Amino acid sequence: MRILLVEDEPDLGRAIQRALTREKYIVDWVQDGSEAWNYLDNGWATYTVAVFDWLLPGLSGIELCQRLRQQQNSLPVLMLTARDRLEDKVAGLDAGADDYLVKPFGMIELLARLRALQRRSPQTYSPFLQVGRLTLDYATLTVSVQQSSQAQIIQLTAKEFQLLEYFMKHPQQIVNRDQLMNALWEVQAEPISNVVSAQIRLLRRKLADYNCDDMIETVYGLGYRFNLS
Ligand code: CA
């Protein structure tokens, strides 16, 4: 679950980024509309949902929506704005926004609206991801493993959860460090050379508690492969 957040107010942007990260989203936060368009147009990442502020330097949130829809891109968009006049709301929806949130708002409401947008988006949303003995539940953001006849929840950090989700979506494929880096770390993340292998080590350790440590295999010189067991 990756989100593009475009908000030019630093305090609000930081607060939203923090709240979303806690909910296990990977968050690319930019403060300028033109820069946001680069992210979308260059296809640097595949987003689950986007949050655009209305008034932004560069391109406005409305212009970003219009450009997306002109390209037949149906990425779900939530617009943020201080305006609450009816005609503004209509203009936002006409431009292709899927929902609308008036500032100031509570983070709980923002998160609920984003979950609702994801549920309404048939091509991106399915409530569960089941691979082998593992089941990922998007409503509770948990992964459980079937052991004998019981399902046990694996306690994961946000990054471990994202990593395991990625592997579950690419079973039995060799994925390399760059693919994982691009998919799971923010575009602006500092390139720390061993961050991927460090996270994989942590995830393996968690999986080992459930006798699943052999699921992530190191393929020498190529990357990693997620095996079903
Ligand atoms: Ca603004």
Side-chain angles (χ1 to χ4, degrees):
M1 301 186 306
R2 187 175 190 122
I3 195 159
L4 179 63
L5 167 64
V6 195
E7 169 58 67
D8 60 321
E9 288 171 41
D11 289 348
L12 180 59
R14 207 169 296 121
I16 297 175
Q17 185 187 38
R18 209 177 302 130
L20 292 174
T21 304
R22 219 177 294 131
E23 291 298 301
K24 302 192 170 80
Y25 287 94
I26 300 155
V27 185
D28 287 323
W29 169 33
V30 292
Q31 303 188 34
D32 176 282
S34 310
E35 193 186 353
W37 182 247
N38 282 341
Y39 277 58
L40 293 164
D41 198 34
N42 291 338
W44 284 335
T46 305
Y47 294 105
T48 317
V49 61
V51 176
F52 298 156
D53 187 27
W54 182 298
L55 294 174
L56 293 164
L59 295 168
S60 71
I62 290 287
E63 286 168 311
L64 286 172
C65 265
Q66 285 167 337
R67 286 189 176 203
L68 271 181
R69 301 315 180 219
Q70 273 160 13
Q71 293 195 346
Q72 318 295 328
N73 185 328
S74 60
L75 174 68
V77 171
L78 175 69
M79 289 282 303
L80 303 180
T81 180
R83 308 177 188 201
D84 55 357
R85 304 198 329 263
L86 182 65
E87 56 267 41
D88 291 335
K89 206 172 281 192
V90 170
L93 297 172
D94 277 350
D98 298 275
D99 199 5
Y100 197 101
L101 196 53
V102 176
K103 295 178 188 175
F105 52 82
M107 287 302 160
I108 289 173
E109 180 167 16
L110 175 75
L111 293 169
R113 299 280 190 110
L114 290 175
R115 282 194 298 271
L117 276 186
Q118 283 167 243
R119 278 198 296 274
R120 290 209 310 252
S121 169
Q123 65 275 60
T124 56
Y125 187 76
S126 131
F128 297 103
L129 177 61
Q130 215 225 317
V131 180
R133 291 195 290 138
L134 300 181
T135 304
L136 186 152
D137 181 339
Y138 282 104
T140 56
L141 297 174
T142 54
V143 178
S144 56
V145 58
Q146 197 67 34
Q147 276 199 311
S148 31
S149 60
Q150 279 185 331
Q152 282 186 294
I153 289 179
I154 306 176
Q155 300 299 330
L156 300 167
T157 65
K159 196 50 84 188
E160 290 161 357
F161 175 89
Q162 292 158 4
L163 193 54
L164 189 51
E165 181 195 22
Y166 187 89
F167 278 123
M168 289 172 72
K169 285 184 170 172
H170 301 83
Q172 283 162 329
Q173 296 171 26
I174 294 175
V175 294
N176 64 35
R177 189 190 146 270
D178 285 349
Q179 284 170 293
L180 292 168
M181 193 78 205
N182 292 337
L184 303 178
W185 271 265
E186 291 75 15
V187 172
Q188 292 158 328
E190 293 291 320
I192 305 163
S193 63
N194 61 358
V195 69
V196 172
S197 46
Q199 280 297 333
I200 290 203
R201 209 157 39 235
L202 292 171
L203 177 59
R204 273 192 182 130
R205 205 174 297 161
K206 292 277 174 77
L207 292 174
D209 294 341
Y210 304 88
N211 303 317
C212 298
D213 43 326
D214 54 349
M215 275 184 181
I216 302 171
E217 176 193 357
T218 300
V219 183
Y220 185 72
L222 295 175
Y224 304 95
R225 181 168 45 214
F226 187 66
N227 294 311
L228 304 180
S229 62

